[in-house]
Amino acid sequence: MNNFEFYNSTRIIFGKGTIAKLSKRVPRKAKVMLIYGGGSIKENGVYEKVMDALKKHKVVEFSGIEANPDYATLLKAIKQVRKKHVDFLLAVGGGSVIDGTKFISLASPNEGIEPWDIISRDLAKDLKKVIPFGTVLTLPATGSEFNHNAVISRRETEEKLSFSSERVYPKFSILDPETTYSLPQKQLRNGLVDAYVHVMEQYMTYPVGAIVQDRQAEALLMAIIEMAPAVLNTNHPDYDARANFMWVCSNALNHLIGVGVPQDWATHSIGHELTALYGLAHAESLAVVLPWLLWYKRDQKRDKLLQYGYRVLDQKQQKYSERIDRTIEATAAFFQSVGMPTTLTSFGVDPDEAAAKVQARWEARGWSLGEHGDITGADAAAILRLSR
Ligand code: NZQ
Ligand code: ZN
């Protein structure tokens, strides 16, 4: 096992009726900015619950954070935060609202710095000033409510890039599974796939003797497969299914299973380009890459593919090459079973065109990713050309 330090400062407040606890968790004297998306919280009753809990607080609102939060929108929020002297942020929504809030939290108090440099020049780690924030999660998927990452899109340049900083751990996150009852099946599917791929990025590399992390990762993958049919039931949403769903997504990316082990993240980096270039939803962009990346890297990932196939997907073929084939197929079949396509062509995207564009971008940035740092632009392109 590799050396590591682990730190996660987010308080999780989990369960039915917990939005009411905002009244105690949000500092009483703060000027609060409530940040949300396109309005789903007004349709499902979450907005009323939040406002009711904050009726004794001073609250201003900023709405309209889009899926894949846009830099231009976030700049407007930053301006408002400064103008109105806001000193606490409350994100109510999914990963996009929470990630956008992380960026607002970091950029607003650091006035001398060009906000895009925080991301593109990796300044996030050096910035000490932040506006503290909490979250009310309404879409289980990204783990953003329990981690220190954020992913920001810049539509004018078709870029989508991430940053991380320990300073953007939420102070608290409220996880009330009932907020998920209004989610359409497509978002539930996206959440299941995103969480699955988060575990895979931290697990599907090469063995370093980390029994605890491996077994925890396998447990999360098996839990996602087990709960998927119940989670996808939108006619009669089941509380326990949604509670398990929320908790598994949070656990998939709160940095715990990634300690002391190599990590990959190339699927995410390729996927972010596909979202920026072609508008695929985040999880869609992962499902059209992961199976093909596993295929392309099957020799380097051989030991872990055999372990994963045997333990998680019940693939016990004696002939190892056959077990790896069936394991990769079973991974794609799981995505398809929740209604998620696994090829670029299913989204009407030409794999050759996507490959050329992504290769050019990666080469311009000098990127070489994956657990061995050896997935170049040419490799990303080769992976995408398989996705047909
Ligand atoms: O904007 P509103 O009206 O709220 O609608 C949203 C949005 O259209 C809707 N929604 C959210 N909760 C709902 C609901 N609709 C009905 N009922 C509810 N309870 O769902 C739509 C999608 O929301 P979004 O927040 O975009 O989805 P998600 O949570 O999947 O977040 C995706 C973003 O997170 C980034 C992605 O790249 C993408 O930008 N990620 C962030 C990560 C992190 N911070 O660690 C890791 C991930 O790998 C990912 O990259
Ligand atoms: Zn993801």
Side-chain angles (χ1 to χ4, degrees):
M1 194 188 306
N2 302 331
N3 291 3
F4 66 86
E5 283 188 25
F6 178 69
Y7 171 76
N8 185 325
S9 56
T10 300
R11 175 188 301 273
I12 296 294
I13 303 167
F14 192 99
K16 229 178 252 193
T18 45
I19 292 176
K21 296 197 174 185
L22 277 174
S23 62
K24 296 244 156 47
R25 284 290 154 203
V26 176
R28 195 52 193 282
K29 297 215 163 107
K31 177 132 184 219
V32 184
M33 178 178 274
L34 168 63
I35 300 174
Y36 57 99
S40 69
I41 65 164
K42 292 219 164 150
E43 283 155 31
N44 61 12
V46 171
Y47 176 86
E48 282 78 10
K49 286 184 190 163
V50 168
M51 290 313 266
D52 190 45
L54 295 180
K55 59 180 179 267
K56 294 193 178 141
H57 288 72
K58 240 184 278 161
V59 182
V60 297
E61 293 184 29
F62 187 90
S63 62
I65 306 272
E66 35 306 85
N68 307 304
D70 190 26
Y71 180 63
T73 307
L74 302 175
L75 287 183
K76 288 181 195 155
I78 291 164
K79 221 169 154 184
Q80 292 297 312
V81 167
R82 289 176 182 164
K83 191 172 150 202
K84 296 182 175 163
H85 305 289
V86 167
D87 50 18
F88 194 89
L89 308 174
L90 181 66
V92 183
S96 294
V97 170
I98 299 174
D99 284 7
T101 301
K102 288 177 177 176
F103 186 64
I104 298 164
S105 152
L106 204 50
S108 304
N110 290 289
E111 293 209 26
I113 289 170
E114 173 62 28
W116 189 246
D117 288 350
I118 294 176
I119 307 169
S120 66
R121 292 180 49 211
D122 202 19
L123 300 184
K125 289 187 181 65
D126 305 325
L127 298 179
K128 304 224 166 9
K129 279 191 272 179
V130 286
I131 296 186
F133 68 96
T135 86
V136 176
L137 180 69
T138 65
L139 198 181
T142 63
S144 187
E145 69 282 0
F146 203 1
N147 71 38
H148 64 207
N149 306 326
V151 190
I152 306 301
S153 294
R154 192 171 186 179
R155 303 241 183 336
E156 58 167 338
T157 50
E158 290 187 328
E159 285 173 285
K160 181 172 183 185
L161 294 170
S162 61
F163 70 88
S164 38
S165 158
E166 285 186 356
R167 309 228 169 222
V168 297
Y169 274 116
K171 291 279 168 219
F172 62 80
S173 284
I174 292 189
L175 277 58
D176 180 343
E178 289 188 329
T179 62
T180 72
Y181 287 0
S182 56
L183 282 168
Q185 229 174 39
K186 209 167 170 179
Q187 296 298 347
L188 297 166
R189 167 202 84 168
N190 288 353
L192 289 165
V193 170
D194 193 18
Y196 199 90
V197 180
H198 292 160
V199 179
M200 291 292 275
E201 298 274 28
Q202 299 165 89
Y203 165 77
M204 184 45 62
T205 56
Y206 56 88
V208 291
I211 296 174
V212 176
Q213 293 89 322
D214 275 9
R215 289 290 187 184
Q216 283 178 327
E218 288 155 4
L220 296 176
L221 294 171
M222 292 167 85
I224 294 168
I225 293 170
E226 182 181 334
M227 73 179 68
V231 169
L232 291 169
N233 181 350
T234 44
N235 292 332
H236 304 285
D238 176 67
Y239 180 79
D240 286 325
R242 297 303 174 88
N244 282 309
F245 177 43
M246 241 181 185
W247 193 225
V248 85
C249 291
S250 284
N251 277 274
L253 193 45
N254 65 1
H255 310 301
L256 186 60
I257 61 167
V259 297
V261 296
Q263 302 191 20
D264 184 341
W265 295 105
T267 295
H268 268 70
S269 298
I270 299 173
H272 288 168
E273 305 293 354
L274 298 174
T275 298
L277 291 165
Y278 299 105
L280 270 67
H282 173 60
E284 292 171 347
S285 79
L286 305 176
V288 300
V289 174
L290 181 75
W292 310 105
L293 181 138
L294 296 180
W295 195 267
Y296 188 76
K297 290 300 230 175
R298 55 186 287 146
D299 294 333
Q300 277 178 310
K301 292 182 183 290
R302 180 177 182 274
D303 292 344
K304 275 304 201 50
L305 276 167
L306 291 169
Q307 177 181 319
Y308 158 67
Y310 190 92
R311 294 183 182 176
V312 176
L313 300 173
D314 208 25
Q315 301 295 328
K316 302 200 165 149
Q317 298 82 353
Q318 288 306 312
K319 201 170 159 216
Y320 282 176
S321 63
E322 195 188 330
R323 194 193 300 171
I324 291 174
D325 288 351
R326 298 291 92 79
T327 295
I328 297 172
E329 283 165 17
T331 304
F334 169 62
F335 293 165
Q336 289 155 13
S337 76
V338 299
M340 179 64 89
T342 53
T343 59
L344 271 174
T345 44
S346 326
F347 292 97
V349 174
D350 173 11
D352 297 318
E353 185 199 282
K357 286 189 172 174
V358 171
Q359 179 168 355
R361 288 177 155 213
W362 276 38
E363 288 177 354
R365 294 193 203 114
W367 278 7
S368 196
L369 308 180
E371 66 270 24
H372 300 287
D374 64 352
I375 301 184
T376 63
D379 295 304
I383 290 163
L384 288 171
R385 279 195 293 269
L386 295 171
S387 183
R388 60 179 80 236

